[in-house]
Amino acid sequence: MSRVAILDDYQQVALKLADWSSISGRVAVEVFTDTLAEEDQIVQRLQPYEIICAMRERTKFPRSVLERLPNLRFLTTTGMVNRAIDLDCAKERQIVVSGTGGGGNATVEHIWALVMAVSRCIVTEHNNVRDGNPQWQTCIPTGLSGKTLGLIGVGRLGSATAKIAKMFAMKVIGWSPNLTSERAEQAGVEFCPSKEELVKQSDFISIHMVLSESTRHLFGATDLALMKPTAFFINTSRGPLVDEKALLEVLQNKGIAGAGLDVFDQEPLPQDHPLRKLSNVVLSPHNAYVNDTSYEAWWSQTVDNIEKYLEGKPVRVLYKL
């Protein structure tokens, strides 16, 4: 019987949101609800398993981990892209890697949840009302109409975010290292010739880039210093795209109005991290991609992936055979 490890199931729903009966009796499933960061701990936990189910990029599978998992033959991940898996190494070791599709618009919805939360002081006023603050209103929300949204990255998510911004009568500008005026026009976004110009103009900045060596700390201290003191920064992409130390400093000094952050340099965010103590941030635990629609699709397809692997006919394979 094949041993299956389900990783990082924070909400303990993997076995509830899909019908696993099709592979019942053929696999022994174990669920882990925590994330391990140390490679030695990951290897020690996962060495016995033939099949591993990864939730996005929570647990990393670089070559240094994959080479120490002798029993691993099949790795299935939620989503059709997982940059935490070394696909070249997996292919060399004849480890089949499959993904899952579907998921809807969870991230776009979350982007706007953060925009509205920070701009309208939702968390602050919620806490005031709940905690019995005698001062009935304590801040003035920032309106969206007529404001400028600056998008760093105008791909699928950036384009979808722009469409919603226009429903709020916002001006939308965009920049990325590879963005052209033609592509910006296709996305319905005004092309900005430089990051500096985008930062200076924007009342809200939302970043939508893929993390790589070339984009690490793409948004740094110099950029933060150019932001309007009334501006807000939103990040639902990857923490290291931004210089977190510089962002923390500007937030502590009230150099900008606030930030809505779903991603961080280290996840889960350490309990003693100073971001947890700031009043001008709205924080979420890297769950922009999470909702019932995406989870139901991902876990159902995970079961299908395992079933097809057991039959010797893997589907949704993430590398070219």
Side-chain angles (χ1 to χ4, degrees), residues 8-281:
D8 310 308
D9 185 11
Y10 296 155
Q11 296 98 340
Q12 302 180 53
V13 294
L15 298 180
K16 301 175 184 177
L17 293 181
D19 181 0
W20 291 73
S21 62
S22 63
I23 53 176
S24 176
R26 290 188 283 171
V27 297
V29 180
E30 295 175 71
V31 179
F32 298 96
T33 60
D34 59 333
T35 295
L36 298 179
E38 295 295 327
E39 289 190 0
D40 287 345
Q41 293 179 333
I42 295 171
V43 169
Q44 183 177 8
R45 171 178 284 182
L46 299 181
Q47 273 187 342
Y49 296 95
E50 176 186 347
I51 300 170
I52 294 174
C53 306
M55 169 52 74
R56 302 299 294 127
E57 298 167 5
R58 292 173 184 174
T59 295
K60 309 297 189 290
F61 290 94
R63 179 177 294 272
S64 53
V65 168
L66 292 176
E67 289 182 339
R68 297 163 65 191
L69 298 177
N71 295 306
L72 179 59
R73 302 268 51 90
F74 183 58
L75 180 56
T76 177
T77 177
T78 53
M80 289 302 291
V81 176
N82 188 330
R83 292 180 175 82
I85 300 173
D86 187 329
L87 293 180
D88 291 333
C89 180
K91 185 175 181 180
E92 290 171 17
R93 296 183 60 80
Q94 296 184 309
I95 300 169
V96 179
V97 183
S98 291
T100 59
N105 297 313
T107 301
V108 176
E109 294 168 6
H110 199 84
I111 290 165
W112 284 100
L114 289 177
V115 170
M116 301 302 287
V118 296
S119 66
R120 299 206 59 81
C121 314
I122 297 295
V123 175
T124 297
E125 296 294 43
H126 164 80
N127 289 336
N128 285 333
V129 174
R130 182 194 60 190
D131 297 339
N133 188 334
Q135 182 64 42
W136 182 235
Q137 296 179 4
T138 64
C139 66
I140 300 176
T142 298
L144 301 184
S145 179
K147 299 297 196 304
T148 298
L149 171 64
L151 299 174
I152 299 179
V154 190
R156 180 181 63 84
L157 289 175
S159 299
T161 302
K163 289 180 181 178
I164 296 174
K166 292 186 176 182
M167 293 176 65
F168 289 113
M170 299 182 77
K171 176 183 177 181
V172 187
I173 59 178
W175 173 89
S176 78
N178 300 310
L179 184 67
T180 63
S181 56
E182 292 78 16
R183 285 175 52 209
E185 183 178 1
Q186 290 173 1
V189 172
E190 182 179 319
F191 177 69
C192 211
S194 70
K195 179 174 56 166
E196 177 182 357
E197 190 59 36
L198 177 138
V199 173
K200 288 180 177 179
Q201 289 188 38
S202 298
D203 299 295
F204 295 83
I205 295 175
S206 186
I207 189 165
H208 307 280
M209 297 289 296
V210 172
L211 178 63
S212 66
E213 286 307 311
S214 64
T215 59
R216 184 174 295 271
H217 287 190
L218 178 66
F219 203 83
T222 301
D223 306 302
L224 289 160
L226 293 175
M227 288 181 68
K228 299 177 183 180
T230 54
F232 297 90
F233 182 78
I234 309 295
N235 188 6
T236 56
S237 293
R238 290 294 181 271
L241 290 167
V242 184
D243 184 337
E244 188 171 271
K245 182 178 179 181
L247 177 60
L248 176 64
E249 184 175 342
V250 78
L251 287 166
Q252 288 173 327
N253 295 331
K254 305 296 175 65
I256 61 176
L261 306 175
D262 185 56
V263 289
F264 311 92
D265 281 0
Q266 182 180 345
E267 297 177 7
L269 192 66
Q271 290 292 325
D272 60 351
H273 198 288
L275 276 173
R276 291 179 180 266
K277 300 177 175 64
L278 297 181
S279 60
N280 55 347
V281 298

Side-chain angles (χ1 to χ4, degrees), residues 303-314:
V303 175
D304 184 54
N305 286 346
I306 296 173
E307 184 174 14
K308 295 300 191 299
Y309 159 76
L310 293 173
E311 295 171 354
K313 303 174 183 178

